[in-house]
């Protein structure tokens, strides 16, 4: 049967993917990440009861549980919308074979159902449900699956329908924000009402039947859309290219050759999925401080704050620069046969990244409202990162010899990664913390912060020397890299 | 006439296999040099060695008497297009050409004038297309790549299989374009192709590669096409 064939192909694709089968290190890292996140989620599930009692002391525990669930699934639509793969691409492989279009669409849609998004909520919520003595436990469990399935098809539909514009994402965000707002001012409490309804449903399981409408409707709309657009040109998402931002760049006129490379870098970052995602994520990391700085245990140990400050201000630099040259893999041959020097190329990258992270640092100065000291923490951490970590990452990137497909998303994408990326994290992130700790031992913490800034300034002023040295190394490595980038 | 390319004892080995083994090869200034041979004969390997993309196991190639792997002066006078790895595919054709111009220190005001001779080959529509190169058809990619390799007037032009993927009229246009370019600028042009007719029409000299060795070195005459066809119908 077609459906099972497609499921089989999905498994084969996953297990035979080149990155997985070739690279043991990545397998291990993935396994580690999986175990790590699972244990986090499962333990969260065990403590969920206590947490809920803390947040909603007045509500019955089950109602607050359902409130969380509704919020979770609202967030899940967003997550799915931004991260999920669409099966449309896979559709093309089968479209020429003699299957009935209806059964093909059905099979493609159905076989796309089970993915990682199903796993994590079950990890959180299952231990919670089994801690409590409830009737109809299995019904709650089924509801979770139903909600996930509904979200799956709904996100799929939205993604196909609105793939060409970022508006759908923004509208989704606005709707979510609106619901949270309406809940909080208690005029139209949408979520609590749903939660109460679901609580009642635990006693009368028939009420759960209503929730079935959601996945069925969502499936129908995505089925109809896909059935009516089952042509190669309509099913794949074609983005219109005319973004004014990247077409009208004028760095070239202002800064000459390096400016021209900055234009190229800007277009590289903004026109490719792989590079665009970390850019958005860097905005999310701006909020990382909210978790970190509001936790009192950390403020005792300032060396951890070094880590946080670098993370908030300069994460993008590291995420982006560690893949230097791999991101350029599809035109590396152009770079090495034209009069473009590696050191100028790195200088262009440096200027652009420094400007962007500088902007993030300015935004992050808002943390000064929490603690005025955070303002200078962030500034010094930023200068330190630009002066030392950026050249270090450029150095590590000379080891890159794996290609990266710019068209694929960055999340859960291990393409282009090798062991050295993981090894590089240790000195780069632990280094500044240790340095800070050592300096603060012999002097004060303030002096340690200032020293980090000073080291950064020295690094920034010497950067062209570093870039030249790294460029020389690249001249020797370029043959291996060029060959490596052509292998899959 | 002076030689623009000098290659001596070029050998490229992959394990036990010898991909390329050339005792001596020179290309003169202003020569249109054709490289023919079946798949695996070593054509692309030779071009890649010439452009310093791969390192020969032994020997040295020089452009204008400067070894390509020790001095990068050659990059300023050499235009090349081997495959799609030479294109920056998230740029539009015009952005790409402007980028190439910038790398070669061409004033951006001179670009329209420099592109004038290529308008017929590229086509106005492609030249001003707002599509990114990655969304173009293979033939159009080749056109962008070839134009990018030569519009800034290099003294040496290296093209690998330029006729493949092009439609018949573009093939003829390209042939004329290369001839005119050679006459006007006196640049040396290196072309590899499976299309024997195009090679004989275009090139003043044809070298046949077979399993990495130079099998024949022919000065093109009226009999050349027949000679080549006989050679390949046996091999």
């Amino acid at each position: 049967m077609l459906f099972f064939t497609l499921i089989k192909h999905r498994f084969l694709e996953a297990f035979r993917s080149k990155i997985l089968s070739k690279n043991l290190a990545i397998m291990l890292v993935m396994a580690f990440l999986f175990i790590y996140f699972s244990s986090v989620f499962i333990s969260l599930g065990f403590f969920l009861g206590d947490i809920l009692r803390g947040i909603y002391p007045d509500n019955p525990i089950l109602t607050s549980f359902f409130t969380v669930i509704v919020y979770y699934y609202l967030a899940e639509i967003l997550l799915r919308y931004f991260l999920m793969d669409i099966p449309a691409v896979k559709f093309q492989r089968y479209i020429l074979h003699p299957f009935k279009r209806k059964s093909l669409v059905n099979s493609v849609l159905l076989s796309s159902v089970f993915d990682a998004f199903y796993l994590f909520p079950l990890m959180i919520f299952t231990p919670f449900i089994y801690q409590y003595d409830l009737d109809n436990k299995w019904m709650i469990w089924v509801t979770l699956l139903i909600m996930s399935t509904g979200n799956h098809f709904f996100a799929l539909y939205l993604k196909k329908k609105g793939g060409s514009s970022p508006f759908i994402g923004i509208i989704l965000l606005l709707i979510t924000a609106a619901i949270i707002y309406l809940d909080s001012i208690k005029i139209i409490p949408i979520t609590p009402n749903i939660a109460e309804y679901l609580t009642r449903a635990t006693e009368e399981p028939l009420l759960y039947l209503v929730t079935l409408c959601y996945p069925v409707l969502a499936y129908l709309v995505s089925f109809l859309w896909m059935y009516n657009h089952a042509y190669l040109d309509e099913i794949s998402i074609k983005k219109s290219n005319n973004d004014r931002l990247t077409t009208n760049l004028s760095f070239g006129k202002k800064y000459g050759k390096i400016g021209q490379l900055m234009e190229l870098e800007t277009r590289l970052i903004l026109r490719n999925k792989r590079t665009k995602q970390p850019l958005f994520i860097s905005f999310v990391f701006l909020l990382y401080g909210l978790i970190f700085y509001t936790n009192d245990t950390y403020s005792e140990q300032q060396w951890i704050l070094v880590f946080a400050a670098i993370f908030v201000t300069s994460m993008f630099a590291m995420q982006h620069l560690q893949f230097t040259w791999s991101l350029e893999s599809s035109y590396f041959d152009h770079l090495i046969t034209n009069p473009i020097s590696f050191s100028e190329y790195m200088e262009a990258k440096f200027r652009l990244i420094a400007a962007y992270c500088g902007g993030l640092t300015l935004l992050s100065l808002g943390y000064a409202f929490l603690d005025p000291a955070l303002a200078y923490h962030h500034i010094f951490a930023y200068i330190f990162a630009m002066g030392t970590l950026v050249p270090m990452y450029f150095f590590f990137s000379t080891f890159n010899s794996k290609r990266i497909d710019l068209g694929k998303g960055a999340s859960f994408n291990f393409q282009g990664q090798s062991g050295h990326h993981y090894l590089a994290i240790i000195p780069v992130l632990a280094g500044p913390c240790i340095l800070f700790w050592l300096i603060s031992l012999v002097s004060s913490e303030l002096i340690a912060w200032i020293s980090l800034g000073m080291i950064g300034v020295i690094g920034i002023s010497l950067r062209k020397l570093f870039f030249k040295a790294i460029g020389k190394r690249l001249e020797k490595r370029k043959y291996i890299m060029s060959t490596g980038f052509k292998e899959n | 006439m002076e030689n623009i390319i000098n290659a001596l004892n070029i050998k490229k080995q992959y394990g036990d296999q010898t991909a390329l083994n050339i005792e001596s090869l020179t290309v003169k200034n202003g020569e249109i040099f054709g490289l023919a041979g079946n798949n695996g004969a070593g054509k692309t390997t030779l071009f890649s060695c010439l452009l310093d993309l791969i390192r020969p196991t032994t020997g040295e190639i020089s452009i204008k008497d400067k070894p390509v792997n020790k001095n990068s002066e050659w990059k300023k006078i050499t235009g090349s297009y081997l495959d799609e790895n030479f294109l920056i595919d998230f740029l539009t054709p015009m952005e790409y050409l402007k980028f190439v111009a910038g790398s070669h220190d061409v004033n951006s005001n001179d670009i329209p004038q420099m592109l004038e001779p290529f308008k017929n080959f590229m086509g106005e529509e492609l030249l001003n297309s707002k599509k990114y190169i990655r969304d173009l058809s293979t033939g159009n990619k080749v056109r962008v790549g070839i134009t990018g390799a030569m519009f800034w007037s290099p003294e040496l032009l290296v093209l690998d299989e330029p006729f493949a993927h092009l439609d018949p009229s573009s093939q003829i246009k390209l042939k004329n374009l290369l001839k005119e370019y050679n006459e006007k600028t006196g640049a040396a042009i290196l072309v590899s192709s499976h299309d024997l007719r195009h090679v004989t029409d275009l090139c003043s000299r044809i070298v046949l590669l077979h399993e990495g060795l130079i099998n024949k070195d022919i000065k093109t005459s009226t009999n050349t096409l027949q000679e080549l066809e006989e050679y390949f119908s046996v091999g």
Side-chain angles (χ1 to χ4, degrees):
Chain A
M1 223 183 98
L2 184 57
F3 172 68
F4 293 107
T5 318
L6 293 191
I7 294 263
K8 198 178 125 199
H9 286 185
R10 244 188 105 190
F11 270 104
L12 288 180
E13 190 183 11
F15 285 111
R16 289 182 183 172
S17 80
K18 280 182 180 135
I19 305 151
L20 276 193
S21 55
K22 267 192 192 163
N23 203 325
L24 188 71
I26 283 172
M27 276 279 264
L28 288 175
V29 170
M30 275 184 84
F32 169 76
L33 283 180
F34 181 78
I35 294 169
Y36 173 76
F37 278 113
S38 319
S39 49
V40 167
F41 284 136
I42 291 173
S43 47
L44 186 66
F46 279 109
F47 294 113
L48 193 59
D50 298 331
I51 299 170
L52 286 179
R53 263 188 286 270
I55 305 174
Y56 309 101
D58 309 327
N59 285 10
I61 187 80
L62 204 58
T63 314
S64 23
F65 170 63
F66 280 120
T67 315
V68 172
I69 292 217
V70 173
Y71 282 134
Y72 172 82
Y73 281 103
L74 268 176
E76 202 208 46
I77 297 184
L78 280 169
L79 271 181
R80 280 179 183 271
Y81 180 76
F82 287 113
L83 298 179
M84 202 167 67
D85 279 333
I86 27 170
V89 189
K90 284 153 195 160
F91 193 80
Q92 297 178 1
R93 296 177 195 159
Y94 306 101
I95 202 166
L96 278 178
H97 294 278
F99 304 122
K100 270 200 182 132
R101 184 181 296 182
K102 201 170 162 186
S103 66
L104 181 60
V105 173
N106 269 325
S107 304
V108 167
L109 281 178
L110 284 175
S111 68
S112 75
V113 161
F114 292 102
D115 51 23
F117 289 105
Y118 279 83
L119 222 53
F120 292 128
L122 289 183
M123 283 176 186
I124 303 176
F125 298 136
T126 313
F128 173 82
I129 298 168
Y130 281 87
Q131 271 180 322
Y132 291 89
D133 188 25
L134 302 171
D135 299 328
N136 306 315
K137 276 180 190 168
W138 63 277
M139 276 308 307
I140 302 179
W141 201 72
V142 170
T143 318
L144 295 184
L145 286 183
I146 285 174
M147 301 269 257
S148 266
T149 313
N151 275 350
H152 176 84
F153 290 117
F154 187 53
L156 208 93
Y157 173 71
L158 288 179
K159 214 166 169 161
K160 290 222 181 100
K161 191 94 200 192
S164 51
S165 76
F167 289 113
I168 301 250
I170 294 168
I171 291 170
L172 274 179
L173 269 173
L174 286 179
I175 292 176
T176 315
I179 291 177
I180 294 173
Y181 179 68
L182 288 175
D183 287 350
S184 68
I185 58 168
K186 290 179 179 144
I187 297 176
I188 319 166
I190 300 172
T191 317
N193 278 332
I194 301 177
E196 251 166 59
Y197 178 85
L198 290 172
T199 317
R200 252 191 302 139
T202 51
E203 281 140 31
E204 295 165 67
L206 273 182
L207 290 178
Y208 274 125
L209 278 181
V210 180
T211 56
L212 259 181
C213 296
Y214 176 48
V216 171
L217 277 177
Y219 182 81
L220 274 181
V221 282
S222 48
F223 172 82
L224 280 177
W225 192 91
M226 208 156 158
Y227 185 73
N228 290 325
H229 294 82
Y231 294 93
L232 287 188
D233 58 333
E234 291 176 27
I235 200 119
S236 55
I237 296 167
K238 279 265 148 48
K239 289 191 177 162
S240 57
N241 311 330
N242 295 322
D243 55 320
R244 289 204 195 103
L245 186 65
T246 54
T247 21
N248 305 322
L249 294 169
S250 57
F251 296 126
K253 287 194 183 107
K254 272 188 216 148
Y255 305 111
K257 220 166 176 179
I258 287 174
Q260 210 205 353
L261 293 169
M262 286 165 73
E263 274 179 27
L264 182 72
E265 184 70 14
T266 315
R267 288 175 176 145
L268 168 73
I269 295 173
L270 290 177
R271 288 182 180 179
N272 294 292
K273 209 173 163 191
R274 171 79 191 227
T275 43
K276 220 175 0 184
Q277 274 185 356
L279 192 72
F280 288 134
I281 292 170
S282 65
F283 266 102
V284 180
F285 273 126
L286 263 185
L287 305 175
Y288 182 76
L290 284 179
I291 307 171
F292 221 87
Y293 297 141
T294 48
N295 195 328
D296 289 337
T297 48
Y298 294 126
S299 55
E300 308 291 312
Q301 284 152 322
Q302 287 235 339
W303 60 271
I304 295 183
L305 293 181
V306 178
F307 171 78
I310 291 176
F311 216 68
V312 170
T313 57
S314 313
M315 190 61 196
F316 178 71
M318 290 174 246
Q319 273 198 315
H320 182 70
L321 294 181
Q322 64 174 328
F323 293 117
T324 309
W325 316 117
S326 273
L327 294 174
E328 280 83 358
S329 58
S330 70
Y331 54 97
F332 193 68
D333 284 359
H334 179 106
L335 299 180
I336 62 177
T337 53
N338 279 280
I340 296 163
S341 80
F342 287 126
S343 54
E344 278 179 346
Y345 202 90
M346 285 185 270
E347 171 70 13
K349 269 181 184 275
F350 169 81
R351 287 193 197 175
L352 205 64
I353 300 282
Y356 177 71
C357 289
L360 286 183
T361 308
L362 282 183
L363 286 177
S364 78
L365 292 186
Y367 283 115
F369 287 111
L370 284 179
D371 179 358
L374 290 175
Y376 73 76
H377 288 183
H378 281 182
I379 293 172
F380 287 138
Y382 160 73
I383 297 173
F384 178 79
M386 293 305 122
T388 59
L389 301 188
V390 168
M392 269 168 104
Y393 266 98
F394 275 130
F395 172 73
F396 283 119
S397 68
T398 61
F399 292 94
N400 287 346
S401 61
K402 292 206 175 101
R403 70 176 294 144
I404 280 180
D405 193 342
L406 290 171
K408 297 210 174 103
S411 48
F412 301 108
N413 187 347
F414 291 86
Q415 193 183 33
Q417 287 200 343
S418 333
H420 71 264
H421 288 123
Y422 302 109
L423 288 178
I425 295 171
I426 302 166
V428 165
L429 286 182
C433 296
I434 295 170
L435 199 64
F436 178 89
W437 179 69
L438 286 176
I439 300 173
S440 64
L441 269 188
V442 293
S443 55
S444 72
E445 274 160 351
L446 179 65
I447 290 178
W449 279 108
I450 295 171
S451 317
L452 284 188
M454 293 294 285
I455 296 168
V457 171
I458 295 170
I460 291 174
S461 42
L462 293 179
R463 69 177 190 277
K464 291 200 172 157
L465 287 179
F466 297 143
F467 294 166
K468 275 219 174 96
I470 296 166
K472 270 204 182 128
R473 193 180 136 72
L474 282 166
E475 284 294 339
K476 287 184 196 127
R477 289 264 313 161
K478 67 180 180 187
Y479 307 102
I480 299 169
M481 294 165 81
S482 163
T483 318
F485 291 151
K486 276 170 213 147
E487 282 164 16
N488 273 316
Chain B
M1 235 194 294
E2 212 185 318
N3 292 333
I4 190 155
I5 297 173
N6 279 308
L8 207 65
N9 291 323
I10 296 294
K11 207 171 189 179
K12 180 69 190 175
Q13 275 179 313
Y14 294 102
D16 297 338
Q17 267 190 325
T18 308
L20 196 65
N21 188 359
I22 290 175
E23 274 182 27
S24 147
L25 183 73
T26 54
V27 177
K28 294 191 178 74
N29 274 327
E31 198 167 44
I32 306 188
F33 176 96
L35 201 56
N38 288 326
N39 289 332
K43 301 187 296 290
T44 309
T45 312
L46 176 59
F47 281 174
S48 301
C49 286
L50 173 65
L51 296 172
D52 199 31
L53 289 169
I54 59 178
R55 204 170 5 190
T57 319
T58 62
E60 202 167 61
I61 299 192
S62 312
I63 292 177
K64 283 201 157 174
D65 295 328
K66 284 178 183 152
V68 289
N69 58 347
K70 296 201 177 112
N71 185 313
S72 53
E73 282 299 302
W74 62 272
K75 292 180 186 173
K76 292 181 182 155
I77 57 154
T78 309
S80 53
Y81 182 74
L82 300 195
D83 53 39
E84 285 179 15
N85 286 320
F86 284 65
L87 293 171
I88 304 175
D89 67 357
F90 51 83
L91 299 180
T92 66
M94 194 45 104
E95 285 169 359
Y96 174 73
L97 296 176
K98 280 185 180 159
F99 178 76
V100 176
S103 310
H104 290 278
D105 298 319
V106 171
N107 190 323
S108 62
N109 299 326
D110 299 339
I111 294 175
Q113 189 206 334
M114 292 180 117
L115 284 174
E116 201 54 44
F118 296 88
K119 271 195 175 149
N120 186 25
F121 172 62
M122 274 268 282
E124 199 86 33
E125 199 183 333
L126 177 60
L127 207 52
N128 298 315
S129 170
K130 291 273 173 283
K131 274 189 185 172
Y132 297 153
I133 292 174
R134 64 178 175 221
D135 297 325
L136 297 174
S137 69
T138 322
N140 280 341
K141 281 182 189 165
V142 172
R143 287 201 259 186
V144 175
I146 293 175
T147 308
M150 60 189 291
F151 80 98
W152 48 274
S153 312
E155 289 174 50
L156 172 65
L157 181 63
V158 184
L159 302 175
D160 193 16
E161 297 282 354
F163 298 108
H165 306 299
L166 287 179
D167 60 59
S169 15
S170 304
Q171 292 182 17
I172 294 165
K173 278 179 197 166
L174 175 62
K175 214 155 56 178
N176 296 331
L177 189 68
L178 292 174
K179 273 186 189 165
E180 279 164 26
Y181 182 74
N182 171 263
E183 277 162 25
K184 210 169 72 188
T185 61
I189 300 177
L190 271 68
V191 167
S192 79
S193 181
H194 288 305
D195 192 311
L196 301 176
R197 189 171 288 272
H198 285 323
V199 184
T200 29
D201 278 358
L202 178 66
C203 302
S204 50
R205 175 181 165 206
I206 296 169
V207 162
L208 282 181
L209 279 184
H210 181 66
E211 292 179 351
L213 295 163
I214 293 183
N215 198 299
K216 274 188 177 152
D217 195 336
I218 310 165
K219 206 163 165 26
T220 319
S221 65
T222 41
N223 305 330
T224 310
L225 183 60
Q226 206 189 343
E227 196 182 334
L228 287 176
E229 276 174 351
E230 274 165 22
Y231 168 84
F232 279 106
S233 59
V234 179

